[in-house]
Amino acid sequence: MSYADPGYSAYFTVDTSEVLLVALYLRDCAGLQGTGLPALPPLTPAVRRVETRRLTAPMGGRAALRVEWEAWWHTLLMHRIGDAVLPLPPQFEALDGMAALKALLRAHFGAAMAWAAERCAEYVLRVGARGADSMDRLLARIIQESELELGRPARPFTLEVVELPLAGRRAWWVEPDKILICQDLFDDERSFRSFVEPVIRVLA
């Protein structure tokens, strides 16, 4: 889903992300909660934790796994999420140089993909239930309100809004052009606005 304002100064997309879902699945199943920036809460429904010691010991163990996951997460958030490449078998090239993380994904690829596919399917149903363009319309309204407050049109900017099945109701601005939000946040417009309006004002 995407939106451009009538003057084409603001453009944003609203979606979930299969790649981020797989990354967060690996984080939670390896017990690496709190790893990475921003440090997001656990996934919901919760992911079953697995033993990683034997799997990753030859590649540096848990310490290496944490460093590699953080590096991968940082790389994913540095670029447009919609363009992120999902590591795929047999070589999982997107994780080259990350031996411990690659071993973890290789061992749990099927489970990670199945979990992510279920969440993506649930997300489609969620969006359909609330109205496919409901968040688009609210974001457009927030931009228009910001323009009225500023007394001028918004500066040109783009914004990716990525909804994820995370515990709690909050959002994280990943500068300069991304907001990661818990899927339940949009159900509370006041809370949603409290996180999103300050970002829009800065960008506009």
Side-chain angles (χ1 to χ4, degrees):
M1 292 166 286
S2 62
Y3 166 86
D5 78 351
Y8 299 99
S9 61
Y11 176 81
F12 58 81
T13 59
V14 181
D15 208 344
T16 192
S17 166
E18 185 181 39
V19 179
L20 294 191
L21 290 172
V22 169
L24 291 169
Y25 179 95
L26 294 179
R27 180 201 67 173
D28 285 10
C29 82
L32 298 177
Q33 286 89 347
T35 300
L37 293 174
L40 303 180
L43 290 164
T44 179
V47 171
R48 183 177 64 87
R49 185 169 175 177
V50 301
E51 175 56 55
T52 62
R53 188 179 307 169
R54 293 182 182 178
L55 186 67
T56 62
M59 302 89 168
R62 186 177 182 81
L65 183 60
R66 180 181 293 275
V67 169
E68 291 173 9
W69 191 91
E70 287 182 333
W72 183 37
W73 183 251
H74 177 71
T75 299
L76 290 174
L77 297 188
M78 277 181 58
H79 305 288
R80 186 175 179 276
I81 302 297
D83 296 334
V85 176
L86 183 69
L88 294 174
Q91 299 301 323
F92 300 98
E93 289 93 343
L95 297 181
D96 282 351
M98 302 179 182
L101 184 58
K102 186 180 288 193
L104 178 66
L105 180 57
R106 182 177 288 113
H108 299 283
F109 180 75
M113 291 299 296
W115 192 93
E118 289 177 7
R119 303 293 80 76
C120 287
E122 290 170 358
Y123 178 74
V124 171
L125 295 176
R126 175 187 288 265
V127 170
R130 72 188 184 201
D133 64 344
S134 56
M135 189 182 294
D136 299 53
R137 286 187 277 109
L138 178 54
L139 287 169
R141 192 159 68 247
I142 292 172
I143 293 171
Q144 291 166 357
E145 292 167 359
S146 296
E147 290 178 327
L148 287 173
E149 290 178 10
L150 294 167
R152 59 168 174 78
R155 292 187 294 261
F157 72 88
T158 61
L159 182 66
E160 277 191 285
V161 180
V162 185
E163 296 192 83
L164 297 166
L166 300 165
R169 289 187 175 184
R170 62 162 301 179
W172 298 261
W173 181 24
V174 182
E175 297 185 54
D177 59 358
K178 297 175 187 65
I179 299 180
L180 309 181
I181 73 171
C182 300
Q183 285 182 0
D184 289 342
L185 180 63
F186 186 70
D187 297 334
D188 181 347
E189 181 175 334
R190 183 175 179 179
S191 295
F192 180 85
R193 281 177 169 272
S194 73
F195 284 104
V196 174
E197 284 179 343
V199 176
I200 296 296
R201 283 196 291 270
V202 170
L203 294 176

